[in-house]
Amino acid sequence: MKIYKLLMFILLSAGLVVSCSKDDDIQTQTEPDSSLQIEGNLDLEIKDFIWEGMNFWYLYKEFIPKLQDNAFANNNEYAKYLNGWSSPESFFEDGLKYSGDDFSWIVDNYEDLENRFAGIRKTSGANISLARITAGSNDLVGIIRYVIPGSPADNAGL
């Protein structure tokens, strides 16, 4: 029984020593271009967040070459790519979203999205409909169908 314990201890120790090799993480990296640092640049940080999420979760990742794990040779090339888009919205819509994808979207305020999912929305307090005065006419009439008591519409006297 002692021989098995000794053998197990030797195997575990050898495995620990081999897995802690310093040579595994050696990477050659060029001097970073200080003008393209992602940290501290909110616009680039947002684009980086979008790319990371799409790279990990996106169903259509295989159809988007710039979402592949090996799409960029180094961090500078990646930062230049992110910096080439005017806004996070255009980066998502025009740079990463697959043309056949009708179900993905981006919002600029996560609280509004959470409220929408929870059924919370902003309203003026009135349910308004538009109707044509006569068929074929371009003249419209607005109809107030309901006013929520205590709402801005009710306070305005609608």
Side-chain angles (χ1 to χ4, degrees):
M1 190 66 159
K2 287 185 180 183
I3 191 78
Y4 291 118
K5 287 183 182 179
L6 180 62
L7 186 58
M8 185 62 84
F9 176 74
I10 291 172
L11 286 174
L12 288 174
S13 297
L16 182 63
V17 169
V18 170
S19 68
C20 294
S21 173
K22 291 182 178 181
D23 295 336
D24 291 344
D25 297 324
I26 294 177
Q27 296 177 353
T28 58
Q29 186 170 354
T30 60
E31 187 66 30
D33 182 351
S34 61
S35 66
L36 296 174
Q37 293 298 317
I38 293 174
E39 295 289 324
N41 183 333
L42 183 60
D43 188 57
L44 287 181
E45 285 183 25
I46 292 169
K47 291 174 191 172
D48 177 54
F49 176 79
I50 294 168
W51 188 92
E52 291 284 341
M54 298 282 284
N55 173 265
F56 188 77
W57 292 105
Y58 198 43
L59 178 65
Y60 301 104
K61 175 183 172 181
E62 66 186 79
F63 301 113
I64 310 296
K66 291 296 186 180
L67 276 178
Q68 304 310 309
D69 293 333
N70 60 354
F72 305 101
N74 55 44
N75 288 341
N76 284 338
E77 186 179 321
Y78 174 64
K80 284 180 185 178
Y81 175 70
L82 296 180
N83 203 33
W85 295 93
S86 61
S87 69
E89 293 82 8
S90 70
F91 175 60
F92 173 79
E93 293 291 339
D94 302 327
L96 299 180
K97 186 177 169 190
Y98 178 60
S99 61
D101 180 4
D102 296 328
F103 303 102
S104 300
W105 72 93
I106 189 170
V107 295
D108 59 354
N109 186 334
Y110 77 93
E111 291 172 341
D112 289 344
L113 180 64
E114 287 178 344
N115 288 339
R116 187 182 314 164
F117 288 153
I120 301 168
R121 62 181 189 183
K122 293 181 181 177
T123 179
S124 63
N127 185 332
I128 302 172
S129 296
L130 295 175
R132 296 193 186 278
I133 293 178
T134 59
S137 170
N138 287 336
D139 296 329
L140 299 174
V141 62
I143 303 166
I144 299 174
R145 297 172 28 158
Y146 180 77
V147 175
I148 298 172
S151 69
D154 185 34
N155 294 340
L158 297 178

